[in-house]
mmCIF file of all heavy atoms in Angstrom:
data_model
loop_
_atom_site.group_PDB
_atom_site.id
_atom_site.type_symbol
_atom_site.label_atom_id
_atom_site.label_comp_id
_atom_site.label_asym_id
_atom_site.label_seq_id
_atom_site.Cartn_x
_atom_site.Cartn_y
_atom_site.Cartn_z
ATOM 1 N N ARG A 15 16.320 44.054 22.222
ATOM 2 C CA ARG A 15 16.504 44.973 23.338
ATOM 3 C C ARG A 15 17.900 44.829 23.912
ATOM 4 O O ARG A 15 18.564 43.749 23.792
ATOM 5 C CB ARG A 15 15.416 44.724 24.398
ATOM 6 C CG ARG A 15 15.673 43.607 25.410
ATOM 7 C CD ARG A 15 16.093 42.280 24.889
ATOM 8 N NE ARG A 15 16.085 41.241 25.818
ATOM 9 C CZ ARG A 15 17.149 40.702 26.431
ATOM 10 N NH1 ARG A 15 18.329 41.211 26.246
ATOM 11 N NH2 ARG A 15 17.052 39.670 27.242
ATOM 12 N N ALA A 17 19.485 45.015 27.669
ATOM 13 C CA ALA A 17 18.917 45.004 29.018
ATOM 14 C C ALA A 17 19.977 45.045 30.106
ATOM 15 O O ALA A 17 20.203 44.073 30.777
ATOM 16 C CB ALA A 17 18.052 43.730 29.145
ATOM 17 N N PRO A 18 20.651 46.197 30.259
ATOM 18 C CA PRO A 18 21.731 46.233 31.234
ATOM 19 C C PRO A 18 21.253 46.276 32.671
ATOM 20 O O PRO A 18 20.195 46.806 32.956
ATOM 21 C CB PRO A 18 22.461 47.571 30.870
ATOM 22 C CG PRO A 18 21.351 48.437 30.338
ATOM 23 C CD PRO A 18 20.453 47.501 29.595
ATOM 24 N N SER A 19 22.060 45.722 33.582
ATOM 25 C CA SER A 19 21.830 45.883 35.019
ATOM 26 C C SER A 19 22.634 47.095 35.435
ATOM 27 O O SER A 19 23.850 47.112 35.233
ATOM 28 C CB SER A 19 22.316 44.617 35.738
ATOM 29 O OG SER A 19 21.652 43.510 35.267
ATOM 30 N N ARG A 49 16.014 48.238 28.178
ATOM 31 C CA ARG A 49 15.326 47.929 29.436
ATOM 32 C C ARG A 49 16.374 47.931 30.523
ATOM 33 O O ARG A 49 17.322 47.154 30.441
ATOM 34 C CB ARG A 49 14.629 46.569 29.347
ATOM 35 C CG ARG A 49 13.891 46.204 30.625
ATOM 36 C CD ARG A 49 13.065 44.945 30.473
ATOM 37 N NE ARG A 49 13.911 43.775 30.423
ATOM 38 C CZ ARG A 49 13.842 42.852 29.468
ATOM 39 N NH1 ARG A 49 13.028 42.969 28.452
ATOM 40 N NH2 ARG A 49 14.644 41.776 29.505
ATOM 41 N N GLU A 51 17.536 46.762 33.901
ATOM 42 C CA GLU A 51 17.147 45.682 34.775
ATOM 43 C C GLU A 51 17.589 46.024 36.189
ATOM 44 O O GLU A 51 18.664 45.627 36.676
ATOM 45 C CB GLU A 51 17.726 44.359 34.261
ATOM 46 C CG GLU A 51 17.200 44.047 32.882
ATOM 47 C CD GLU A 51 17.036 42.594 32.552
ATOM 48 O OE1 GLU A 51 17.927 41.780 32.969
ATOM 49 O OE2 GLU A 51 16.072 42.214 31.908
ATOM 50 N N TYR A 193 15.906 37.039 38.395
ATOM 51 C CA TYR A 193 16.327 37.369 37.022
ATOM 52 C C TYR A 193 15.711 36.533 35.914
ATOM 53 O O TYR A 193 15.116 37.077 34.997
ATOM 54 C CB TYR A 193 17.867 37.374 36.951
ATOM 55 C CG TYR A 193 18.359 37.324 35.524
ATOM 56 C CD1 TYR A 193 18.252 38.460 34.720
ATOM 57 C CD2 TYR A 193 18.834 36.147 34.973
ATOM 58 C CE1 TYR A 193 18.653 38.378 33.374
ATOM 59 C CE2 TYR A 193 19.245 36.083 33.631
ATOM 60 C CZ TYR A 193 19.129 37.203 32.886
ATOM 61 O OH TYR A 193 19.515 37.138 31.554
ATOM 62 N N ASN A 197 13.192 38.498 33.404
ATOM 63 C CA ASN A 197 13.761 38.717 32.057
ATOM 64 C C ASN A 197 12.857 38.107 30.991
ATOM 65 O O ASN A 197 12.574 38.789 29.980
ATOM 66 C CB ASN A 197 15.131 38.012 32.055
ATOM 67 C CG ASN A 197 15.971 38.313 30.852
ATOM 68 O OD1 ASN A 197 15.967 37.559 29.904
ATOM 69 N ND2 ASN A 197 16.652 39.438 30.851
ATOM 70 N N ASP A 201 10.571 40.212 28.328
ATOM 71 C CA ASP A 201 10.816 39.983 26.861
ATOM 72 C C ASP A 201 9.501 39.591 26.170
ATOM 73 O O ASP A 201 9.219 40.028 25.039
ATOM 74 C CB ASP A 201 11.917 38.928 26.645
ATOM 75 C CG ASP A 201 13.298 39.506 26.860
ATOM 76 O OD1 ASP A 201 13.426 40.749 26.862
ATOM 77 O OD2 ASP A 201 14.246 38.726 27.018
ATOM 78 N N VAL A 209 16.957 37.616 21.212
ATOM 79 C CA VAL A 209 17.714 38.042 22.378
ATOM 80 C C VAL A 209 19.214 37.916 22.046
ATOM 81 O O VAL A 209 19.684 36.826 21.725
ATOM 82 C CB VAL A 209 17.367 37.190 23.601
ATOM 83 C CG1 VAL A 209 18.373 37.360 24.729
ATOM 84 C CG2 VAL A 209 15.935 37.498 24.080
ATOM 85 N N CYS A 210 19.890 39.056 22.038
ATOM 86 C CA CYS A 210 21.321 39.031 21.742
ATOM 87 C C CYS A 210 22.029 39.601 22.989
ATOM 88 O O CYS A 210 21.751 40.734 23.359
ATOM 89 C CB CYS A 210 21.600 39.880 20.500
ATOM 90 S SG CYS A 210 23.314 40.257 20.193
ATOM 91 N N ARG A 211 22.924 38.818 23.630
ATOM 92 C CA ARG A 211 23.548 39.221 24.854
ATOM 93 C C ARG A 211 24.804 38.451 25.068
ATOM 94 O O ARG A 211 25.142 37.572 24.254
ATOM 95 C CB ARG A 211 22.556 38.959 25.998
ATOM 96 C CG ARG A 211 22.173 37.503 26.100
ATOM 97 C CD ARG A 211 21.113 37.231 27.123
ATOM 98 N NE ARG A 211 20.646 35.881 27.061
ATOM 99 C CZ ARG A 211 19.562 35.422 27.671
ATOM 100 N NH1 ARG A 211 18.808 36.177 28.407
ATOM 101 N NH2 ARG A 211 19.230 34.140 27.558
ATOM 102 N N ASP A 214 27.831 34.806 28.848
ATOM 103 C CA ASP A 214 27.641 34.423 30.244
ATOM 104 C C ASP A 214 26.200 34.007 30.533
ATOM 105 O O ASP A 214 25.893 33.398 31.529
ATOM 106 C CB ASP A 214 28.117 35.516 31.223
ATOM 107 C CG ASP A 214 27.561 36.875 30.834
ATOM 108 O OD1 ASP A 214 27.377 37.152 29.614
ATOM 109 O OD2 ASP A 214 27.282 37.696 31.736
ATOM 110 N N HIS A 215 25.296 34.334 29.607
ATOM 111 C CA HIS A 215 23.851 34.030 29.806
ATOM 112 C C HIS A 215 23.465 32.714 29.148
ATOM 113 O O HIS A 215 22.304 32.317 29.265
ATOM 114 C CB HIS A 215 22.973 35.159 29.339
ATOM 115 C CG HIS A 215 23.018 36.352 30.278
ATOM 116 N ND1 HIS A 215 22.476 36.317 31.526
ATOM 117 C CD2 HIS A 215 23.591 37.551 30.114
ATOM 118 C CE1 HIS A 215 22.655 37.477 32.109
ATOM 119 N NE2 HIS A 215 23.365 38.248 31.277
ATOM 120 N N GLN A 222 15.165 29.690 30.858
ATOM 121 C CA GLN A 222 14.243 30.711 30.329
ATOM 122 C C GLN A 222 13.310 30.079 29.268
ATOM 123 O O GLN A 222 12.124 30.388 29.244
ATOM 124 C CB GLN A 222 15.050 31.847 29.761
ATOM 125 C CG GLN A 222 15.870 32.556 30.858
ATOM 126 C CD GLN A 222 16.616 33.802 30.368
ATOM 127 O OE1 GLN A 222 16.740 34.031 29.179
ATOM 128 N NE2 GLN A 222 17.113 34.579 31.318
HETATM 129 N N1 LIG B 601 20.561 42.281 32.841
HETATM 130 C C1 LIG B 601 21.371 41.268 32.224
HETATM 131 C C2 LIG B 601 22.830 41.682 32.271
HETATM 132 O O1 LIG B 601 23.094 42.835 32.401
HETATM 133 C C3 LIG B 601 21.077 41.092 30.793
HETATM 134 C C4 LIG B 601 20.275 39.958 30.513
HETATM 135 C C5 LIG B 601 19.816 39.801 29.042
HETATM 136 O O2 LIG B 601 20.288 40.553 28.176
HETATM 137 O O3 LIG B 601 19.010 38.931 28.841
HETATM 138 O O4 LIG B 601 23.657 40.808 32.184
#
Side-chain angles (χ1 to χ4, degrees):
R15 86 310 191 259
S19 303
R49 180 173 73 234
E51 300 212 321
Y193 163 73
N197 191 264
D201 282 344
V209 167
C210 167
R211 59 187 173 191
D214 48 326
H215 287 291
Q222 297 184 346

